[in-house]
Amino acid sequence: MHRLYKQFYLTIIASLMLVVLFGGMMWRFAPGDAPTHEGFELAGELVAQLLPPAADHAEHQRILDRIHDGLKMDLALFDQGLHPIAAAGRPLAPPGPHETGGWVYRHGGGPAWSFRLPDGRWLVARVRGRSPWHPVLRLIGFLGAIAVAVAICAYPLVRRLTRRLERLQTGVEQLGAGDLSARVQVEGKDEVAMLAASFNRAAARIEDLVGSHKLLLANASHELRTPLSRVRMGVELLKDEADSHLHTQRKAALERDIAELDALIGEILLSSRLDAVGALGRREDVDLLALAAEEAARYEDCTVSGAPVSVCGDSALLRRMVRNLIENAQRHGTPPVYIEVCPEGANGSPNGNHATLTVSDCGPGVAPGDRERVFMPFYRVTGSDRTTGAGLGLTLVRQIARQHGGEAEWAGTAKRPSTIRVVLPRKA
């Protein structure tokens, strides 16, 4: 019953079974034509033996009264000209002039049976309690009962389905109107429930993306003001600077500020792209140890150790991740910087199905409450005196790691409190 088509199918089967059961009960308990036909034939033969043709009307009346009292039947006897001779019970009309016997449905009291006696007389009988409805009307009523039974069985399922679809439509309209917190209730395990769950996941994803972009835009606008102000001030000073030595210094400072702006804009664009992209566009085999060694060669007091480990991913993004980790350690930690690459199992055993990249320095690390916040965009550690960097380095590290199916976390120990560990799936 977890699939919608099964619910519809089983509802139809249940309705048909109910119809069969209802029809069987009607067939069992409703009076049938064939047994009554045979009964009236037999009753007619018996009455013919009891009604002598030469008897007077009083004798006929006495015989009909006795049959009426014994069999609980309405009886009427007519001569060959269809004139009444005697009657017992409720009144019965004579048969038509062209009738040959059998069921008569034109009588107001219900169907009756007309029987022609051997001497030409007519006997009309009617069983008390028999349904007064014509067989065509009974058939119409039976089909109507089937329709009502199917409608009663199908209504709960159809209404439950349409009610959930209506709630889903309301949620879509709320989301389209700008209410990013709109969610729908998930009921059942069928296709509609899966659609509602997918809508909730999509709405949550949209809400997270819009929220992160708002936060990124707000922080980026704040971070961009500082280098822009320095550039503006430098340009103004250059206009009035006569000393060539100072002119050269101002020009170098401007170049650094422009480079900082360029780097900040690049990190903002990369962070936005990683948020928006659901999967990597390019995958290749990357030797994580060789890549870390190439990046470490660009910095002083940076050593690499470990074993070769291959991962599958975007080499440019992985290179950016390693570079950000080294620059974070160089900028906010204390040299030297140590990089270690090794395979690791699910329980820390070697030669496992994960590749671990650990970057540490000799700094004091951060407080326990800041170990998760350092991965947030533009976050500044309390008491830090950060003069360079935009605060997106570790944010990009975590985003790149998650894009590759891994995770980045603070992993400081008593020996090396300033340590960040990245775990990535190893190439199969």
Side-chain angles (χ1 to χ4, degrees):
M1 293 295 289
H2 293 168
R3 301 301 298 273
L4 194 59
Y5 75 91
K6 290 183 179 179
Q7 296 182 32
F8 280 113
Y9 179 74
L10 292 179
T11 299
I12 295 174
I13 296 299
S15 300
L16 292 178
M17 292 179 63
L18 184 62
V19 167
V20 172
L21 178 63
F22 186 68
M25 293 177 61
M26 290 188 63
W27 184 268
R28 172 63 180 83
F29 297 106
D33 290 344
T36 306
H37 175 87
E38 296 175 357
F40 274 117
E41 289 285 352
L42 179 60
E45 293 291 342
L46 295 176
V47 172
Q49 299 296 327
L50 295 175
L51 293 174
D56 56 13
H57 290 187
E59 180 66 17
H60 289 155
Q61 184 65 45
R62 185 184 64 80
I63 295 174
L64 291 184
D65 289 338
R66 188 175 61 182
I67 297 174
H68 167 72
D69 295 337
L71 300 179
K72 306 301 180 183
M73 299 173 60
D74 298 327
L75 299 170
L77 182 65
F78 301 92
D79 59 17
Q80 296 180 2
L82 299 179
H83 299 104
I85 298 176
R90 293 177 297 177
L92 291 170
H98 302 292
E99 294 182 4
T100 59
W103 284 113
V104 180
Y105 295 101
R106 61 184 177 85
H107 303 286
W113 181 266
S114 61
F115 182 78
R116 187 179 182 87
L117 301 179
D119 58 1
R121 292 177 297 173
W122 285 92
L123 178 66
V124 180
R126 178 175 58 209
V127 178
R128 287 191 177 185
R130 181 170 177 83
S131 173
W133 299 99
H134 192 277
V136 175
L137 298 180
R138 292 204 305 270
L139 177 61
I140 295 175
F142 177 69
L143 295 178
I146 291 177
V148 171
V150 173
I152 293 175
C153 291
Y155 178 80
L157 174 65
V158 175
R159 187 67 190 105
R160 176 173 175 267
L161 172 63
T162 55
R163 187 182 297 113
R164 290 187 294 162
L165 290 176
E166 289 170 0
R167 285 198 294 264
L168 185 59
Q169 179 186 7
T170 302
V172 172
E173 292 176 351
Q174 291 177 350
L175 184 65
D179 183 8
L180 300 182
S181 62
R183 302 292 186 273
V184 295
Q185 183 180 359
V186 179
E187 295 181 8
K189 297 182 179 179
D190 54 18
E191 289 84 349
V192 178
M194 290 187 288
L195 180 60
S198 299
F199 170 80
N200 289 340
R201 287 193 298 269
R205 177 63 176 163
I206 293 173
E207 186 177 17
D208 291 341
L209 285 176
V210 173
S212 62
H213 286 174
K214 286 182 178 178
L215 178 63
L216 187 65
L217 181 61
N219 288 313
S221 62
H222 173 73
E223 293 291 335
L224 286 171
R225 288 194 183 100
T226 301
L228 282 175
S229 299
R230 292 200 301 265
V231 170
R232 187 180 298 110
M233 183 178 297
V235 171
E236 294 296 331
L237 291 174
L238 279 177
K239 294 179 181 179
D240 302 328
E241 190 63 60
D243 191 340
S244 60
H245 178 68
L246 291 177
H247 184 86
T248 303
Q249 291 180 345
R250 298 293 184 190
K251 183 179 178 181
L254 283 175
E255 291 176 351
R256 287 195 299 270
D257 290 336
I258 292 173
E260 183 180 347
L261 275 174
D262 182 68
L264 176 57
I265 294 173
E267 288 184 342
I268 292 173
L269 293 176
L270 179 58
S271 178
S272 299
R273 182 167 65 88
L274 292 177
D275 273 338
V277 175
L280 292 174
R282 182 180 64 179
R283 287 185 175 273
E284 55 186 315
D285 296 341
V286 179
D287 188 339
L288 195 59
L289 180 63
L291 186 145
E294 292 175 4
E295 288 299 313
R298 303 171 61 244
Y299 301 89
E300 297 180 356
D301 295 330
C302 186
T303 59
V304 180
S305 62
V309 181
S310 292
V311 296
C312 184
D314 190 323
S315 60
L317 290 178
L318 293 174
R319 187 178 298 275
R320 182 62 177 270
M321 180 186 72
V322 175
R323 186 182 307 165
N324 284 7
L325 287 171
I326 298 174
E327 289 181 352
N328 179 78
Q330 292 274 359
R331 184 179 298 123
H332 304 294
T334 302
V337 177
Y338 301 96
I339 302 175
E340 183 179 4
V341 178
C342 64
E344 182 179 322
N347 298 321
S349 60
N351 301 323
N353 53 0
H354 292 86
T356 302
L357 171 69
T358 305
V359 179
S360 59
D361 58 77
C362 298
V366 298
D370 292 328
R371 293 179 178 177
E372 188 64 25
R373 297 192 186 100
V374 295
F375 294 97
M376 297 173 59
F378 303 102
Y379 179 74
R380 296 177 184 269
V381 177
T382 304
S384 65
D385 184 20
R386 193 185 76 192
T387 58
T388 59
L392 287 173
L394 294 183
T395 301
L396 290 175
V397 168
R398 173 166 283 184
Q399 286 179 307
I400 294 173
R402 289 180 175 177
Q403 281 284 331
H404 288 78
E407 186 57 86
E409 60 184 358
W410 192 274
T413 62
K415 183 178 179 181
R416 291 183 181 174
S418 181
T419 302
I420 295 177
R421 179 173 59 229
V422 177
V423 180
L424 299 174
R426 192 176 177 183
K427 179 179 178 295

